[in-house]
Amino acid sequence: MKTTARVVVIGGGVVGVSTLYHLAKLGWSDVVLVERKELTSGSTWHAAGLLPLFNLSYSVGKLHQYSVDFYPTLEEETGLNVGFSRVSNIRLATSRDRLDEYRYYAGVARTIGVDVDFLTPDEVKAAWPLAETDGLLGAIQHPADGYIQPADLTQALAFGARRRGATIYRETTVTGITQKTNGEWVVSTDKGDVTCEHVVSATGSFARGTGAMVGLDIPVVPVEHQYIVTEQHPLLMERRAKGLPEMGVLRESDASWYMREEAGGLLLGPYEVGAPACYVNGPAANSEYELFPDALERLEPYILSAIARVPAFGEVGVKKVYNGAIAYTPDGSPIVGPAWSRRNFWLNEGHSFGITAAGGAGWQLAQWIVEGEPSIDMMGVDPRRFGDYAGEGYLIEKNEEAYAKVFTVHYPDEEREAARPLRRTPCYDRMKALGAVFGSVFGWERPNWFAPEGYELSDADLDRADVILNHNHPDVAGEPIREKWSFRRSNYFEHVGRECRHVHEHVGIQDMSAFAKCLISGPGAEDWLNGLLSNVVPKKVGKLSLSYLLTQEGGVRAEFTVYKKAPQTYYLVSAGALERHDHDYLQKALPTDGSVRFERLTTQMGVLVLAGPKARDVLKAVTRADLSNEAFPWLTGQRISIGAAPVDALRVNFIGELGWEIHHPIEMQNYIFDKLMAAGAAHDIRPFGIRAMDSLRLEKGYKLIPRELSIEYAALESGLERFVSFKKPDFIGRAGLLARKEAGLKWQFVTLEVDGVTDADARGSEPIQRDGELIGRATSGGYGWRTGKSLALAMVAPQHAAPGTEMEIVILGQPHRAVVIADSPFDPENNALRS
């Protein structure tokens, strides 16, 4: 056995072998894979082999797209049949919301280059003659989709990897993983040790055990998935005898099942409510080709639905029931990328659609390892999107929920209920009493919007379709239903508008304690931050700046507000959802000489936002500090007292009104909240939520990761010129950004005013076209209540970016005239912020 390698991949399923293949394809031939049993002996062997392109996540969609394009080329390269049946994939719609989901998805698909066709019920019948069309409103079809033989695919990947110099060891068990002081890893096995630069964990159901070897709590717990294979059916055998083409993979989305032909019979795979988590502590040491006993009683409503749609399914006997483990994460998407707090330890885990994602996940992870960055935006699958709150109990609840909701309509405003409320700020109960309807980010509860006292929706208001999957609202035990999810303007639209207008005209208060917060200090802090971030670090105590951590090529990796609290002491604030991601990059970049210190403050510090034209009047009633423009200008911060409570007040916000972020010891939050509410009563202070903030920030052209800001867009393409200082001799991404500028920027950020909108604003990811040609994509969208306009933020080709340029944006399948307008359509001179 080899004793050294550049990379050791642990796990011989399709995901691990794909990673090995792509590393070798990029020229790293000194790579090793170790598998405890035989290749494919874990989840790969019992996978149904489907290749669904459908996914609303940009990151996952790109991975799936690559796989479906790549697998046929692998067969050509290796000469091995991978068993790819390109039979297409048909997704049925029996509800209006489902059709809206398909319309939205079709826009996403167009922007990433995936072909989608809409079918009428008659066209469904022609493509799937065994299916009944009662109740169908329509369907979509992916012509390039189908299924593949997982074992054949894996063996072809293994053959291709070996031919490029990679080494595979089967029947080799990893017994330990340790990191040496020089950063090298030692992977210990029952056949010997391998010293390497990088380790990739692709261990499927064993992920948590693999993570434990290096002190990581990997957010993966498998869930049982059953599928049924029937005996041969005469109609299918007759079709074969006539040489008729195989019918495509059929998905009854509103009933939560898929079906395809299998050896003259039918294969049915439901995703049922009640499927249990399994292998919470990992499979047994000798586990191989393992299945669980079937539990068909859980599948009864789905089986009955399948028989109603395809009567032939009920006309033959059951040949085999497979009940195997599928790895899941809390949001159902895989984790692909670097592990947090461990250098050169990589994760390719949590693949609930592992056959589909394997090619793309191996492709991007290999690029990340070899070249230092992936080539597509991977934020949707980054392992650091979960935090240390995601422990065993959380994972069981959320992963079972994610499995049960595979086929639910994925509304853009959906807030799933499992394992909530988990992380609550002290003012949670006060916000709740004021009518807060909460959402969740990084485990934190945050008010999305505020309902009037006594407000609730009836069953008639919800207007749910008579289908198995008709969950279109949040269910909170003991509370009335106050929100209906939709792709269109829903019941909360006017209430959010009321919040926006109130903040603009009076004063509002918001809880933003979920912000990620840290303190950077030490004798080398200023020089280190200047070499790390795009903007000049504030030189004077009390100054603020907005700055970005870029990739080497000049894309945007992270955004920070930088506040100089004291000499060589900087307080950094970034997005709450990206805490582990952002802080991991900072910590891994720290100098090794101890000259810079990092301190995580997220759970120690709360944040209340006070904003609106009356904000100064409210704040001056509770502090002795001079709040005048001369004494406390925009983009500065001061240590002040609110009553008896010491706080850092930062004159900055994300909505474009006069206001302060009040950063405070979190244990003092309710004291401060009560003081502000009491002082604000004379000015009609009211709370506002995340959805109001999102509407208000659109009118200012404020940007978000990973929407307007992404590793795929150069910082200059995203309109960040003011926050990039080329006067500095060097910072991460400086050279790459200049090179991209010299070569010619491919994109330009614009604000669009959208015409003809009545009930559906842009949400982001909509295609933008001119004369029928795709010229860009929306990144965000919504209604601006101060400007009275439907707005979209977008990235378009530079030749179409001049103000006044007309184009079309396609919203839920309908083209709307859009025109480029000046950025920051509300208060472009920032008079409100400076007032």
Side-chain angles (χ1 to χ4, degrees), residues 259-454:
M259 182 183 291
R260 69 169 174 86
E261 295 185 43
E262 173 68 12
L266 292 168
L267 182 156
L268 175 73
Y271 283 81
E272 77 274 23
V273 174
C278 58
Y279 293 150
V280 176
N281 298 315
N286 61 351
S287 173
E288 184 179 18
Y289 301 113
E290 190 165 66
L291 293 175
F292 302 107
D294 63 61
L296 290 179
E297 68 281 356
R298 293 202 309 261
L299 305 185
E300 182 177 356
Y302 312 95
I303 292 172
L304 293 176
S305 166
I307 292 173
R309 180 65 65 200
V310 183
F313 179 74
E315 296 169 356
V316 286
V318 173
K319 179 180 178 181
K320 174 75 173 176
V321 177
Y322 291 84
N323 186 11
I326 300 181
Y328 262 84
T329 66
D331 62 7
S333 292
I335 52 176
V336 184
W340 58 97
S341 74
R342 301 291 185 274
R343 295 179 189 275
N344 295 338
F345 193 89
W346 305 83
L347 300 173
N348 206 346
E349 301 281 12
H351 286 275
S352 54
F353 292 91
I355 307 303
T356 323
W363 161 58
Q364 281 299 293
L365 190 60
Q367 282 196 5
W368 214 332
I369 294 170
V370 174
E371 299 173 6
E373 294 289 347
S375 58
I376 65 171
D377 175 13
M378 294 284 281
M379 291 297 286
V381 295
D382 193 295
R384 297 162 294 186
R385 69 186 186 275
F386 304 111
D388 53 12
Y389 61 87
E392 178 185 291
Y394 178 90
L395 294 175
I396 292 172
E397 289 189 41
K398 293 299 289 185
N399 294 15
E400 289 179 352
E401 177 190 56
Y403 176 89
K405 292 183 178 291
V406 163
F407 275 107
T408 56
V409 176
H410 297 298
Y411 298 99
D413 45 11
E414 178 187 23
E415 296 280 358
R416 294 184 177 178
E417 302 96 335
R420 292 179 57 196
L422 181 61
R423 306 178 80 187
R424 289 177 275 186
T425 61
C427 72
Y428 171 87
D429 289 329
R430 283 163 167 76
M431 290 294 196
K432 188 174 182 179
L434 291 168
V437 179
F438 289 95
S440 179
V441 63
F442 211 64
W444 289 102
E445 295 293 311
R446 296 192 308 185
N448 275 341
W449 62 283
F450 288 81
E453 186 175 359

Side-chain angles (χ1 to χ4, degrees), residues 415-689:
E415 296 280 358
R416 294 184 177 178
E417 302 96 335
R420 292 179 57 196
L422 181 61
R423 306 178 80 187
R424 289 177 275 186
T425 61
C427 72
Y428 171 87
D429 289 329
R430 283 163 167 76
M431 290 294 196
K432 188 174 182 179
L434 291 168
V437 179
F438 289 95
S440 179
V441 63
F442 211 64
W444 289 102
E445 295 293 311
R446 296 192 308 185
N448 275 341
W449 62 283
F450 288 81
E453 186 175 359
Y455 181 82
E456 61 181 283
L457 299 179
S458 66
D459 280 341
D461 293 327
L462 292 172
D463 191 24
R464 286 174 287 186
D466 186 18
V467 293
I468 291 177
L469 297 185
N470 62 2
H471 189 59
N472 65 351
H473 62 279
D475 276 325
V476 181
E479 294 187 11
I481 298 168
R482 295 179 292 177
E483 176 173 320
K484 177 183 175 181
W485 300 325
S486 178
F487 286 87
R488 302 174 184 270
R489 293 174 179 174
S490 193
N491 68 292
Y492 59 78
F493 178 72
E494 293 289 344
H495 301 295
V496 169
R498 185 186 65 244
E499 294 173 31
C500 294
R501 289 191 297 265
H502 192 85
V503 172
H504 175 53
E505 297 167 1
H506 302 283
V507 62
I509 189 169
Q510 182 185 32
D511 179 18
M512 290 297 289
S513 300
F515 273 149
K517 303 169 284 284
C518 66
L519 196 69
I520 302 296
S521 62
E526 181 176 345
D527 288 343
W528 179 71
L529 284 172
N530 266 324
L532 193 72
L533 302 180
S534 64
N535 206 351
V536 175
V537 172
K539 295 185 178 299
K540 292 183 179 180
V541 172
K543 289 288 188 179
L544 296 173
S545 71
L546 188 63
S547 199
Y548 295 87
L549 177 60
L550 307 182
T551 67
Q552 293 292 347
E553 290 73 34
V556 179
R557 181 181 281 142
E559 176 186 64
F560 297 97
T561 298
V562 182
Y563 167 49
K564 188 168 185 177
K565 282 176 61 76
Q568 294 289 13
T569 304
Y570 300 88
Y571 180 66
L572 271 59
V573 182
S574 62
L578 304 178
E579 179 188 346
R580 178 173 269 177
H581 173 274
D582 294 353
H583 287 183
D584 186 54
Y585 275 114
L586 292 176
Q587 290 177 283
K588 286 176 178 174
L590 287 171
T592 58
D593 60 5
S595 61
V596 181
R597 296 181 294 275
F598 171 95
E599 182 182 1
R600 176 177 178 253
L601 295 178
T602 300
T603 54
Q604 297 177 43
M605 300 294 291
V607 183
L608 295 174
V609 176
L610 186 71
K614 301 296 183 183
R616 181 179 284 112
D617 296 328
V618 174
L619 192 55
K620 72 181 182 182
V622 294
T623 184
R624 295 179 65 251
D626 185 348
L627 303 177
S628 67
N629 265 326
E630 295 73 25
F632 206 147
W634 182 44
L635 295 181
T636 64
Q638 292 184 27
R639 187 75 165 171
I640 69 172
S641 290
I642 293 181
V647 306
D648 282 290
L650 310 185
R651 196 167 163 198
V652 66
N653 61 67
F654 204 55
I655 64 174
E657 299 283 353
L658 169 68
W660 283 263
E661 288 181 1
I662 299 168
H663 294 248
H664 53 271
I666 201 161
E667 68 273 16
M668 301 180 188
Q669 183 169 87
N670 282 345
Y671 173 89
I672 296 165
F673 184 88
D674 292 344
K675 284 284 187 183
L676 293 172
M677 291 298 287
H683 305 284
D684 195 20
I685 190 171
R686 297 181 192 175
F688 66 100

